[in-house]
Amino acid sequence: MRKVWQVVIMGCHPTSMLGTKLILEEAGNLIVLGTYSNWEEGAAMVKEEQPELVLLDYCMPDDMIETILPGMKKETSASHFVVMTDREGRELLLPLLKLGASGIISKGASPSQLLQMIEGLREGFLSMPLDWLEMGIWPISPSEEGDILLKLTPTERFIMERIVQGITYDKIATEIEVSRRSIDNYLRKIYVKLEVSTRAQAIEKYALYSRQVRHVYA
């Protein structure tokens, strides 16, 4: 008889988490220990119970996944963390794997796709959509410029892309579901990584390096 995996679900929407819970428990070899709408409570349960699987949203109201995932993985190294997202998963996959994730799946995935991913993890395999391979998922570091951009997390790159486009900080905060103060915190980290001290310098450097990296990939 196969081992029953314990699961913790962390997400923004209770109704969605309930639907996921029902899908998993109908499989017969998965039991959901709880569903949590904030990182703190979910992380506490993960640390205490050491579940085999943690399903968690990429965006939560209280913080972004880049902040919480490394700490949870360190405390529960045997757990598999699968990130659920509405954003383009292909671009997020490698950065999240480096942070400790075991996989990434679209929130629009079918129940069978979710269960297939979990089945793969049981056997020690990572599943991903085939079209990601066709588009190319493995990043190349052709130069110092590319290395600098790779220092930025997916969220930090998204913020810089929007700033370069002229989008206001308040609108960016709304788009990624964080507070306006969180945007300021992200910008401080971005400035350090880009080795700049002002918004104008950050825009100039990010725009320049982005064009150079895209040129190399073209």
Side-chain angles (χ1 to χ4, degrees), residues 55-58 82-87 89 93 96 103-118 127-129 132:
L55 296 176
L56 61 169
D57 273 1
Y58 180 73
V82 173
V83 180
M84 302 176 292
T85 179
D86 288 325
R87 293 173 57 180
L93 178 61
L96 290 176
I104 184 171
I105 191 166
S106 168
K107 290 183 181 180
S110 67
S112 61
Q113 288 172 327
L114 174 60
L115 294 175
Q116 182 180 22
M117 169 170 274
I118 296 172
S127 301
M128 70 181 74
W132 289 9

Side-chain angles (χ1 to χ4, degrees), residues 10 12 46 58 63 73 76 92 99 148 164 171 189 206:
M10 303 166 66
C12 300
V46 170
Y58 180 73
D63 214 333
K73 183 63 178 179
T76 58
L92 298 174
L99 293 176
I148 288 177
V164 170
K171 182 171 177 56
K189 295 176 183 178
Y206 184 85

Side-chain angles (χ1 to χ4, degrees), residues 7-149:
V7 185
V8 169
I9 304 174
M10 303 166 66
C12 300
H13 307 292
T15 301
S16 177
M17 287 193 291
L18 177 59
T20 301
K21 179 177 184 293
L22 294 175
I23 291 170
L24 297 182
E25 294 190 334
E26 285 179 0
N29 54 11
L30 300 165
I31 181 170
V32 177
L33 300 177
T35 59
Y36 301 89
S37 297
N38 66 72
W39 290 128
E40 185 176 357
E41 292 180 1
M45 172 59 82
V46 170
K47 182 178 180 180
E48 178 180 352
E49 298 295 336
Q50 304 280 307
E52 284 78 13
L53 176 65
V54 182
L55 296 176
L56 61 169
D57 273 1
Y58 180 73
C59 294
M60 294 277 275
D62 46 348
D63 214 333
M64 303 300 289
I65 197 169
E66 291 94 341
T67 303
I68 192 71
L69 181 55
M72 284 199 296
K73 183 63 178 179
K74 183 177 181 180
E75 293 178 340
T76 58
S77 59
S79 298
H80 290 290
F81 293 86
V82 173
V83 180
M84 302 176 292
T85 179
D86 288 325
R87 293 173 57 180
E88 173 52 63
R90 183 174 65 93
E91 297 180 357
L92 298 174
L93 178 61
L94 288 179
L96 290 176
L97 291 180
K98 291 179 180 179
L99 293 176
S102 295
I104 184 171
I105 191 166
S106 168
K107 290 183 181 180
S110 67
S112 61
Q113 288 172 327
L114 174 60
L115 294 175
Q116 182 180 22
M117 169 170 274
I118 296 172
E119 185 64 23
L121 293 176
R122 280 183 176 274
E123 300 298 328
F125 290 93
L126 169 66
S127 301
M128 70 181 74
L130 289 176
D131 59 2
W132 289 9
L133 295 177
E134 295 172 0
M135 291 183 287
I137 66 169
W138 310 116
I140 304 170
S141 300
S143 63
E144 178 185 356
E145 289 80 4
D147 290 339
I148 288 177
L149 291 189

